[in-house]
Amino acid sequence: TEIILKIPLTLAIIDGITVTVGSILLAFPLSDILEFHKADVSRITTTDSTREVLRLREEIIPVIKLHEFFGTKTKKTGTAEGILVIIHANGKKAGVLVDNIVGYQQIVVKGLPGYMSGMRAVSGCSIIGNGEVGLIIDTGALLRQEIN
């Protein structure tokens, strides 16, 4: 008997935190996460350009609402209703609004299929332990597109 095992060269495993935004399951690389924060309304300000910012330890951090970025429906549209994942990449920081934190997982990264290649700020996908497909966020691309 001969068994041939083909392993793709692009297969990678990363440590990540899975979150939900509406019905979408997303994952952030653990190395790009600084902290999690439940925002208080008194620490949130809206700028002239209608962007919300969070004052966190004497630092002003822009807020990115992923439900708006991906165009999905969610019940937690207010910054104080959800959870802010404070991320960093390429010298920039932002608070990303998510609905819930699912937890820590080691994630096998798979390339995006051809029909999904146009998705913004997504570096790959993975099948999470419960069988759901999760999208892996490219935090560098997300910050480049949302923070000027």
Side-chain angles (χ1 to χ4, degrees):
T1 302
E2 183 178 307
I3 297 174
I4 298 173
L5 181 63
K6 292 184 180 182
I7 300 174
L9 295 175
T10 58
L11 192 65
I13 297 175
I14 62 167
D15 292 328
I17 299 292
T18 52
V19 300
T20 58
V21 176
S23 61
I24 300 175
L25 186 65
L26 301 166
F28 287 96
L30 189 61
S31 61
D32 294 341
I33 296 176
L34 293 173
E35 65 183 286
F36 303 97
H37 190 75
K38 182 69 174 160
D40 183 9
V41 177
S42 65
R43 295 188 174 271
I44 300 167
T45 306
T46 303
T47 64
D48 291 340
S49 62
T50 68
R51 158 126 7 233
E52 287 186 345
V53 294
L54 170 72
R55 192 178 79 244
L56 182 64
R57 291 185 292 280
E58 305 308 319
E59 187 175 7
I60 303 298
I61 299 173
V63 174
I64 300 171
K65 295 183 176 182
L66 282 184
H67 70 274
E68 291 177 358
F69 185 81
F70 287 115
T72 187
K73 293 182 181 181
T74 181
K75 293 180 182 176
K76 297 181 181 180
T77 56
T79 305
E81 297 171 11
I83 299 168
L84 288 171
V85 180
I86 310 299
I87 60 170
H88 70 104
N90 304 324
K92 297 180 182 179
K93 275 188 195 178
V96 180
L97 181 66
V98 301
D99 293 354
N100 296 304
I101 297 171
V102 177
Y104 163 83
Q105 292 190 356
Q106 288 191 322
I107 300 167
V108 177
V109 180
K110 297 181 181 254
L112 288 174
Y115 64 89
M116 292 180 71
S117 61
M119 289 201 68
R120 301 183 309 150
V122 175
S123 62
C125 62
S126 181
I127 299 174
I128 307 300
N130 62 3
E132 287 186 72
V133 174
L135 301 175
I136 301 167
I137 300 295
D138 180 348
T139 54
L142 177 66
L143 292 174
R144 272 193 307 277
Q145 291 177 22
E146 286 294 302
I147 309 299
N148 296 326

